[in-house]
Amino acid sequence: MTENQSVEYKSIRKIRTGDKGFKELAKTCVGFANSLGGKVIIGIEDNDSYPPINQLIENSELNETMTRLKNLTSAVGFKSYQILKHDNNSDFIEIEISPNKRSIAITSDGKVYTRFSDTCVPVASEDLHTLLSERDNFIWELIPKKIELKDIPSENIHLFLTEIRNSDVVRNHVKNMSDLDLLENYNLISSGKLTNLGVLWLGDYKQRSKLAYPIEVKYIVYNDMDEVIRKIIWNDHHFNPKELLYEIESSITELNYEYEIADGLLRNKVRHYPKEALRELLVNSFAHKTYTTATDITIQVYPESMKITSPGGFPYGVTKDNILNTKGRRNTHLIKIFQDLKLMEAEGSGYDLIYEKLIEDGKQLPVITSDFNHVSVELKSRIIDIESLKITEYILKHFKLNQKSKIALGIIARHKKLLSTKLSKILQLSDEERLRTWTSSLTKQEIILTRGSGKGNAFIINPKLLSNSKLNIKPTLKTIESHVLEELIQKDLEIHPLSSIGQIKSRIKDVDKRDIQKCLYKLVKNNKIAAIGSKTYRKYRLAEKKRNEKEI
């Protein structure tokens, strides 16, 4: 079984081996309560898909488990708990936990946890304010208004129902619900009254304008003197989120400009900003906006860049340094609608798409800044490396790659040669093991090659592939073989004896300083060159034997 944001599997031993197991279960329950809720499955091991054969659980054991968990937690809502029987006729326990919408759940010893992806993590005391603010954002969608369905334009309701039922990502049992049940399923109505979310999506402009902080957007274009030359403000509330998205996309003409590229082997045009990346950023600004704050979404366009700023910081636990690999949600039910109408990527994959499309177009990766009140994402329009664009496009035409492989390929192509440690840092990965999921397909198909080992392991684009492509790529010393570099350094020292590493690097410009340093150490160790002076002022020359051979 696979654990995720809403499911955790625990061994039956957790409730049969004393206090330690129960305390760990309590942490998991608190983590679910402080995020989006979820299920704890007791009796199935993490890596198994079914409970052990002949596993039996008595009702008394379930009752004892729940009594212990309730005593070990506070403000955790146990929605249901039961003993279930698997197809193999063995028992397991399923405990469903509701999200805590109004307060913070804690363990009996006063500790706070929340859930990220498939892990429950502790919340530091200085982060409690942020977690509390997320409670307000979570319940905003569900607060009922004094507006009934009969007060809503019927065409708005009909359009929403039709779009949901025509979506190929919505399950059939949802499509087959009655109109009323389907609206309740998406939390647009509650007990016959429209929720805030319902008014935002189904209401008319008068009803939307009465929401505390509906979506308002400013689009501002600047010239190279930072003077405003065009401005559009959407604050009349005539559009629901989908309609507003389409209205903005049809109006932002400056963001649809293209570069003309004269090259027979390359596409003729590249947009300043990939349309898929723009769509994802716009939808994100709606979906993750703080609807309890009176601040506009702003789109600022400059001659060579654009920036989208949305009210509210990242969802708790998400930062600019982990955004590729950490999932976080605000406005959960609004996001569900966006996803089911295919307006945004699935959970946790939006920034992967943005990275992918920017890399395919040879653009710089997004520049992200955030604080408690705002998140800003800046994109640069300029193509930073035509050669990497050529390489990436050629490979994507001839090889089938998944999204992660495309991103890793584009990063390696623009660096020519890249240490695995540096690639891990760019991809926001914590260990080498996780890097394999990004590079294994590339190495298996011999699109990239590895050089070195350990922390010195580096990736390069396969030179044979570049040769076969006939792309007329300029050669670079960055990918030079180590034995060739050793010869080059010795030739350099023959002409320039007693040179420092900085002086050698100034003459062998394209080679990374670390590679030169590594070769120097190896040449000294093998008595091919000599090191003179202290470490700070060290200089190098050919070894005596080598010098004599040259003189002869």
Side-chain angles (χ1 to χ4, degrees):
M1 292 287 190
T2 302
E3 294 181 340
N4 55 39
Q5 175 74 31
S6 58
V7 179
E8 175 97 4
Y9 293 91
K10 295 293 187 183
S11 168
I12 195 68
R13 292 191 297 274
K14 295 296 181 186
I15 62 173
R16 292 178 175 174
T17 54
D19 292 344
K20 185 177 180 181
F22 279 106
K23 287 181 178 179
E24 187 176 329
L25 284 171
K27 293 177 184 178
T28 301
C29 295
V30 167
F32 278 132
N34 285 329
S35 56
L36 303 176
K39 292 180 179 180
V40 182
I41 308 297
I42 303 173
I44 300 179
E45 302 283 347
D46 287 352
N47 298 320
D48 291 341
S49 55
Y50 48 84
I53 302 297
N54 299 323
Q55 177 172 279
L56 296 177
I57 302 173
E58 299 292 338
N59 281 326
S60 58
E61 191 170 23
L62 171 62
N63 293 334
E64 172 66 16
T65 296
M66 296 312 303
T67 299
R68 295 286 297 273
L69 289 178
K70 289 175 183 178
N71 289 335
L72 288 168
T73 62
S74 177
V76 173
F78 294 98
K79 186 175 182 180
S80 65
Y81 46 91
Q82 57 187 323
I83 298 172
L84 299 176
K85 198 167 285 292
H86 193 270
D87 292 342
N88 68 357
N89 209 35
S90 293
D91 295 341
F92 64 96
I93 295 173
E94 179 187 89
I95 302 172
E96 186 171 2
I97 296 158
S98 301
N100 190 325
K101 302 175 184 178
R102 298 189 179 277
S103 62
I104 299 295
I106 61 174
T107 60
S108 58
D109 56 358
K111 294 181 180 178
V112 181
Y113 296 83
T114 189
R115 189 160 181 91
F116 294 127
S117 186
D118 58 356
T119 306
C120 288
V121 298
V123 178
S125 57
E126 60 268 24
D127 294 327
L128 284 176
H129 177 66
T130 304
L131 190 60
L132 277 168
S133 71
E134 290 294 293
R135 301 272 80 75
D136 292 336
N137 291 312
F138 186 84
I139 65 173
W140 178 88
E141 299 175 290
L142 306 179
I143 295 175
K145 310 296 286 185
K146 294 179 180 179
I147 300 175
E148 298 181 2
L149 271 181
K150 63 181 179 60
D151 302 322
I152 294 294
S154 59
E155 60 270 23
N156 293 0
I157 299 172
H158 176 73
L159 178 61
F160 175 79
L161 295 172
T162 301
E163 289 176 334
I164 287 293
R165 288 178 173 136
N166 287 339
S167 172
D168 58 10
V169 299
V170 176
R171 294 182 179 181
N172 287 330
H173 79 273
V174 175
K175 295 180 180 181
N176 293 331
M177 289 179 177
S178 69
D179 291 353
L180 198 62
D181 286 344
L182 197 148
L183 293 174
E184 286 183 342
N185 178 71
Y186 284 95
N187 294 283
L188 300 176
I189 60 173
S190 177
S191 302
K193 305 289 186 181
L194 266 78
T195 60
N196 275 332
L197 179 60
V199 175
L200 184 68
W201 204 279
L202 301 177
D204 60 26
Y205 76 96
K206 291 181 180 178
Q207 293 159 340
R208 285 195 197 99
S209 68
K210 293 177 182 177
L211 292 173
Y213 307 112
I215 301 175
E216 297 185 355
V217 182
K218 291 180 181 177
Y219 178 74
I220 309 169
V221 182
Y222 302 86
N223 62 17
D224 54 8
M225 301 293 291
D226 270 356
E227 299 168 331
V228 176
I229 58 174
R230 187 174 177 226
K231 187 174 184 179
I232 307 175
I233 299 177
W234 288 276
N235 61 358
D236 56 9
H237 317 300
H238 275 84
F239 304 109
N240 73 14
K242 178 181 176 179
E243 294 164 342
L244 180 57
L245 174 67
Y246 286 170
E247 174 69 16
I248 292 172
E249 288 182 328
S250 67
S251 304
I252 53 177
T253 54
E254 291 82 2
L255 299 181
N256 296 321
Y257 293 164
E258 297 175 323
Y259 289 111
E260 295 281 347
I261 300 177
D263 193 318
L265 293 173
L266 197 66
R267 59 190 136 162
N268 294 323
K269 294 179 180 180
V270 175
R271 285 173 56 112
H272 283 197
Y273 307 100
K275 62 180 181 181
E276 299 91 344
L278 282 178
R279 161 68 65 86
E280 193 66 25
L281 287 175
L282 285 170
V283 174
N284 270 328
S285 70
F286 292 0
H288 296 293
K289 163 180 155 58
T290 300
Y291 286 88
T292 55
T293 303
T295 309
D296 299 336
I297 295 168
T298 59
I299 307 167
Q300 296 167 286
V301 183
Y302 300 90
E304 293 189 350
S305 67
M306 62 82 61
K307 180 165 66 174
I308 296 180
T309 301
S310 181
F314 282 122
Y316 180 76
V318 179
T319 71
K320 64 183 180 64
D321 298 317
N322 67 12
I323 198 166
L324 278 178
N325 303 290
T326 302
K327 300 174 183 178
R329 281 190 168 196
R330 180 183 293 130
N331 308 313
T332 306
H333 308 297
L334 176 59
I335 289 173
K336 177 64 175 172
I337 295 175
F338 275 127
Q339 290 175 347
D340 282 1
L341 294 181
K342 301 177 72 172
L343 296 172
M344 74 183 298
E345 287 290 292
E347 181 182 0
S349 59
Y351 273 86
D352 292 44
L353 175 71
I354 293 167
Y355 272 53
E356 175 193 1
K357 295 306 175 183
L358 291 174
I359 280 172
E360 284 182 359
D361 284 358
K363 304 296 179 62
Q364 181 178 321
L365 296 178
V367 178
I368 304 171
T369 57
S370 70
D371 55 30
F372 183 77
N373 297 310
H374 299 90
V375 171
S376 292
V377 183
E378 183 178 14
L379 304 185
K380 304 290 186 181
S381 65
R382 187 171 60 87
I383 299 172
I384 60 174
D385 187 348
I386 291 289
E387 285 198 347
S388 71
L389 180 58
K390 292 180 183 179
I391 294 168
T392 303
E393 188 167 67
Y394 172 81
I395 292 172
L396 294 181
K397 282 182 179 178
H398 293 83
F399 295 88
K400 187 174 182 179
L401 299 177
N402 61 26
Q403 190 176 62
K404 288 186 175 181
S405 297
K406 290 178 184 178
I407 293 171
L409 168 67
I411 294 170
I412 294 168
R414 65 180 53 172
H415 283 83
K416 306 299 188 290
K417 180 180 181 181
L418 189 61
L419 288 171
S420 60
T421 51
K422 182 70 178 295
L423 180 58
S424 292
K425 185 175 181 180
I426 294 172
L427 295 174
Q428 304 174 347
L429 302 174
S430 57
D431 55 62
E432 194 80 11
E433 189 68 31
R434 296 184 67 188
L435 182 60
R436 291 194 182 95
T437 63
W438 296 76
T439 60
S440 60
S441 177
L442 297 171
T443 54
K444 190 177 294 184
Q445 298 183 72
E446 297 186 345
I447 296 170
I448 63 173
L449 303 178
T450 57
R451 297 271 177 82
S453 59
K455 290 188 177 180
N457 180 45
F459 298 105
I460 65 169
I461 304 295
N462 190 337
K464 289 183 180 178
L465 190 150
L466 294 179
S467 176
N468 293 337
S469 71
K470 299 179 181 179
L471 290 174
N472 193 29
I473 301 296
K474 294 178 183 177
T476 173
L477 292 178
K478 285 186 178 181
T479 58
I480 190 172
E481 295 278 4
S482 59
H483 68 277
V484 179
L485 179 57
E486 289 173 18
E487 289 292 330
L488 186 59
I489 289 173
Q490 291 178 81
K491 287 285 186 185
D492 182 78
L493 291 177
E494 182 182 342
I495 301 170
H496 306 283
L498 293 176
S499 291
S500 67
I501 186 171
Q503 291 170 326
I504 297 170
K505 172 73 178 75
S506 69
R507 295 188 289 270
I508 310 176
K509 297 182 184 297
D510 285 347
V511 181
D512 188 274
K513 187 176 180 179
R514 291 184 182 181
D515 291 335
I516 294 175
Q517 190 175 44
K518 188 176 177 180
C519 273
L520 287 171
Y521 291 161
K522 184 178 179 181
L523 289 169
V524 170
K525 183 178 179 180
N526 293 334
N527 297 318
K528 292 184 178 180
I529 66 173
I532 311 297
S534 65
K535 185 174 181 180
T536 306
Y537 301 102
R538 184 167 295 169
K539 295 190 176 183
Y540 299 89
R541 60 168 172 77
L542 292 177
E544 290 295 333
K545 183 179 177 182
K546 276 280 184 182
R547 290 169 62 194
N548 293 336
E549 287 175 355
K550 297 294 181 183
E551 290 169 2
I552 293 172

